[in-house]
Amino acid sequence: MSTNELPQIKIAVVGYGSQGRAHAMNLRESGFDVVVGLRAGGPTEVKAQADGFTVKSPAEAVKDADLVAVLTPDMVQKKLYNEVLAPNMKQGACLLFAHGLNVHFGMIEPRADLDVVLVAPKGPGALVRREYEIGRGVPCIYAVHQDKSGKAEQLALAYAAGLGGARANIIKTTFKEETETDLFGEQAVLCGGASALVQAGFETLVEAGYQPEIAYYEVLHELKLIVDLFYEGGITRMLEFISETAQYGDFVSGPRVIDASVKARMKDVLTDIQNGTFTRNWEAEYEAGLPNYRKFQQADMDHPIEKVGKELRAKMVWLQAQNA
């Protein structure tokens, strides 16, 4: 799908965080007419203006848009849709999300006249932008929830292509599949699982009398090397590049740590996601002012591995150069 097939489409990008900025800039450079919708005086208004975008209030931005991309945090989307988008979007427009949580779990019930689609790049906003700039792209998945016009899929594909997704890979999914697998991946493996595994490994070594600095290098710092190999060629490539001793340890000790009981608890996590328990709890936590969220966040930041890591990273000059 080429964006040239829809040259007149007007897009309103609502939200200008990591994904919002990347989407807006890539789409503009792909030939779309893009306006950014932000509340006046917000922290990202100046940034969007500095990037050369026309910035309007969300209500004004969506009025004549053919496609409205909702790229704000999940928990503000319900109020945003009900109070701003639904009353102001024109008849027959397309409503686009980058994550299906609000639609899949019924917190947002889109107007019947709208096309409703999902386009989710498989990478953070900085990567989506960087890959586009160098002539490549990040793979995208897309889904159609509501096809009033008969062209919803065409719109989703054109949007994905505008992000650079067609340069890599575009895969069709459903709102249900994207939402549930995304939440599971974050919780069981990528964020929750990985950070808990690293913390437990660090604690095990330190409690056994080893230096915290050595423990940090072994269970956190070197994790990047393994993840990079996974990313480049899966488990097969990782096995090709580690020693025979490391391979043997992988084979005999991996299943002792991540055993059938862990998989059973992963299934429990997935069940809570599928039946809406996680989303209901998260919505209630957000509405209560995030008391537990902040407590959990602070506990992670106060973990001893963070203090040790901060001191060690200060001596890693290559990291300072990357973050400059």
Side-chain angles (χ1 to χ4, degrees):
M1 167 68 64
S2 166
T3 55
N4 292 331
E5 296 176 42
L6 293 164
Q8 303 302 316
I9 187 172
K10 295 181 180 180
I11 296 177
V13 172
V14 182
Y16 205 71
S18 173
Q19 288 288 345
R21 182 173 188 268
H23 286 222
M25 296 190 79
N26 290 10
L27 291 164
R28 179 176 64 185
E29 290 173 24
S30 292
F32 286 114
D33 180 357
V34 180
V35 63
V36 175
L38 298 170
R39 61 184 176 84
T44 53
E45 181 184 27
V46 173
K47 190 173 187 179
Q49 290 172 336
D51 287 334
F53 286 103
T54 298
V55 179
K56 301 180 179 180
S57 70
E60 287 299 317
V62 305
K63 281 184 177 178
D64 63 349
D66 302 300
L67 185 150
V68 174
V70 182
L71 300 174
T72 57
D74 290 328
M75 287 299 109
V76 305
Q77 289 182 9
K78 178 180 177 179
K79 183 177 181 181
L80 173 69
Y81 175 76
N82 289 335
E83 297 182 4
V84 179
L85 305 186
N88 289 289
M89 287 179 66
K90 70 181 183 180
Q91 288 285 309
C94 180
L95 182 64
L96 181 144
F97 296 88
H99 181 39
L101 185 143
N102 277 278
V103 172
H104 176 54
F105 287 110
M107 292 181 286
I108 289 177
E109 297 182 7
R111 285 180 0 208
D113 64 283
L114 301 175
D115 288 340
V116 182
V117 302
L118 177 149
V119 175
K122 292 291 93 184
L127 182 66
V128 173
R129 179 60 184 155
R130 185 166 67 248
E131 287 294 292
Y132 183 93
E133 287 182 297
I134 61 178
R136 300 191 303 230
V138 169
C140 291
I141 60 176
Y142 79 97
V144 176
H145 175 74
Q146 202 164 275
D147 184 11
K148 182 66 176 179
S149 71
K151 296 181 179 180
E153 184 167 15
Q154 185 182 8
L155 286 165
L157 286 169
Y159 188 98
L163 296 183
R167 300 171 180 174
N169 193 19
I170 300 177
I171 300 175
K172 188 173 185 177
T173 183
T174 63
F175 271 65
K176 171 182 168 63
E177 183 174 60
E178 185 278 333
T179 300
E180 294 175 0
T181 57
D182 186 75
L183 292 175
F184 177 81
E186 291 170 348
Q187 294 174 32
V189 180
L190 304 177
C191 304
S195 59
L197 187 66
V198 165
Q199 289 173 340
F202 178 85
E203 292 165 6
T204 299
L205 288 176
V206 172
E207 288 165 9
Y210 300 104
Q211 295 179 67
E213 293 82 3
I214 302 299
Y216 175 88
Y217 280 126
E218 294 299 336
V219 304
L220 190 153
H221 179 80
E222 292 192 25
L223 186 61
K224 181 185 186 305
L225 308 177
I226 301 303
V227 170
D228 283 350
L229 292 170
F230 281 158
Y231 183 82
E232 294 165 8
I235 294 173
T236 298
R237 182 168 176 82
M238 184 271 289
L239 292 173
E240 289 174 356
F241 280 82
I242 63 175
S243 70
E244 290 179 336
T245 302
Q247 288 187 48
Y248 182 68
D250 173 331
F251 302 148
V252 300
S253 297
R256 294 177 65 190
V257 177
I258 308 298
D259 60 10
S261 68
V262 174
K263 187 174 178 181
R265 289 191 293 276
M266 284 185 169
K267 289 183 177 180
D268 291 340
V269 169
L270 181 57
T271 296
D272 283 350
I273 291 168
Q274 291 171 324
N275 64 25
T277 298
F278 168 78
T279 299
R280 288 192 295 273
N281 290 344
W282 174 217
E283 188 176 23
E285 173 70 16
Y286 187 86
E287 291 177 352
L290 302 172
N292 293 304
Y293 172 96
R294 298 190 196 285
K295 180 178 67 176
F296 298 147
Q297 184 183 59
Q298 192 62 49
D300 270 354
M301 292 191 293
D302 290 342
H303 192 279
I305 199 172
E306 291 304 293
K307 180 177 183 296
V308 173
K310 184 176 182 180
E311 293 170 354
L312 291 175
R313 289 190 298 272
K315 300 174 183 178
M316 300 177 190
V317 294
W318 63 92
L319 288 181
Q320 314 313 315
Q322 288 176 6
N323 296 328

